[in-house]
Amino acid sequence: MGYTADERLAAGPEESRYLEAVFTLGAQVGTHAEDPARPVYVVEVTEVSPIRVPSGRLVVASPWPDDSDWELPTPAGRELKDRIPPGVHRMQASWTEAPYEYNGEQFDGREAVAVRLLVSDAPVACWEVGLGVGESIEQIVHGERPGFDSEENMGSFADATAWPSLTEPFRQVWLDVDAGKQDASLAAESLGESFERVSDEALGADLVTFTADGGSVVWLGRTETGSIASIVTTGTPAFHNRLFTAM
């Protein structure tokens, strides 16, 4: 008998269909917000970056400090309760295009609608919400989807043990701005298309950012045996309904 997710964490039928489709090239993942008769498809799946997670402890959270309490020490970040195999894992992004017009100007509506960390090549048998360290399944109210707050509309995958050093450049930006520096900039490597990487070479660990609108749910794709094959995050509610609505 295969692994069965707790019903309080298990993805519902529509969520499962979306998660199974969103990294499939050519799959329909919704309809255009301004024209429900026009479908929205996955047009590209890109390799973003390898990420080193030497501890096997993964944080999925915004790397920015709370903008109302930025002077406080950097918080620990939302570390997932489930560990992953230590090592290097691939990060991918799924892209859609939903063309629209704004103020007489045409836009292609290209958007990264989901990102994932590939933990193994094994097929996903079921999806469930990933809990953070210190969170309890008993606290989950039916229908709720716990996730992380996306300060500055940003999320990231990062090694938990290196979190303080990996997020220091983001904190430094706030310090520079507060000090009145006109050229305050983030000390991070641009990976193109809004993705950035910060590395700690002493610990051999990385942090890679991605765009995250509003609250973001972290989904664990589990195999028949219950091991984690992939970790996916999408926007909520209704999966980025700014450009399309969930099927």
Side-chain angles (χ1 to χ4, degrees):
M1 184 175 180
Y3 176 85
T4 302
D6 188 287
E7 63 178 6
R8 290 166 290 186
L9 300 179
E14 289 188 359
E15 292 167 327
S16 293
R17 281 196 293 271
Y18 181 86
L19 291 164
E20 290 162 6
V22 74
F23 281 93
T24 301
L25 192 62
Q28 183 181 351
V29 289
T31 58
H32 200 286
E34 297 179 359
D35 182 2
R38 189 173 5 146
V40 174
Y41 300 101
V42 176
V43 298
E44 189 176 8
V45 176
T46 60
E47 296 287 335
V48 177
S49 173
I51 302 178
R52 296 173 295 176
V53 188
S55 68
R57 296 167 50 197
L58 184 70
V59 169
V60 188
S62 174
W64 291 99
D66 187 327
D67 61 5
S68 63
D69 295 306
W70 61 268
E71 292 180 307
L72 296 176
T74 301
R78 187 174 185 266
E79 178 185 342
L80 297 185
K81 181 176 291 187
D82 285 84
R83 302 279 181 96
I84 62 175
V88 181
H89 302 285
R90 294 159 56 201
M91 177 179 169
Q92 295 181 322
S94 172
W95 298 84
T96 60
E97 289 183 359
Y100 64 97
E101 180 181 333
Y102 181 73
N103 284 343
E105 190 173 353
Q106 296 292 325
F107 298 89
D108 62 12
R110 179 176 168 83
E111 183 179 20
V113 292
V115 293
R116 70 177 174 184
L117 196 71
L118 285 171
V119 179
S120 80
D121 295 326
V124 170
C126 66
W127 295 94
E128 67 179 18
V129 176
L131 293 179
V133 171
E135 297 175 356
S136 170
I137 193 171
E138 283 72 27
Q139 299 172 333
I140 304 298
V141 177
H142 182 72
E144 281 190 355
R145 294 296 189 228
F148 66 89
D149 294 326
S150 51
E151 293 290 340
E152 301 297 314
N153 291 326
M154 185 177 287
S156 67
F157 291 126
D159 182 85
T161 56
W163 182 254
S165 62
L166 293 173
T167 55
E168 180 57 28
F170 299 88
R171 177 177 167 79
Q172 187 60 50
V173 169
W174 281 111
L175 293 171
D176 290 346
V177 170
D178 187 61
K181 293 185 64 173
Q182 299 298 314
D183 59 346
S185 61
L186 181 65
E189 175 189 359
S190 174
L191 301 173
E193 297 194 288
S194 77
F195 298 102
E196 295 176 304
R197 177 171 56 210
V198 176
S199 299
D200 184 326
E201 295 304 334
L203 294 175
D206 300 310
L207 176 153
V208 177
T209 69
F210 53 85
T211 301
D213 297 327
S216 293
V217 179
V218 180
W219 294 98
L220 306 181
R222 293 192 183 273
T223 68
E224 285 285 356
T225 62
S227 63
I228 297 175
S230 71
I231 299 171
V232 174
T233 181
T234 68
T236 55
F239 306 108
H240 296 267
N241 62 355
R242 179 169 59 84
L243 292 182
F244 59 83
T245 55
M247 297 175 64

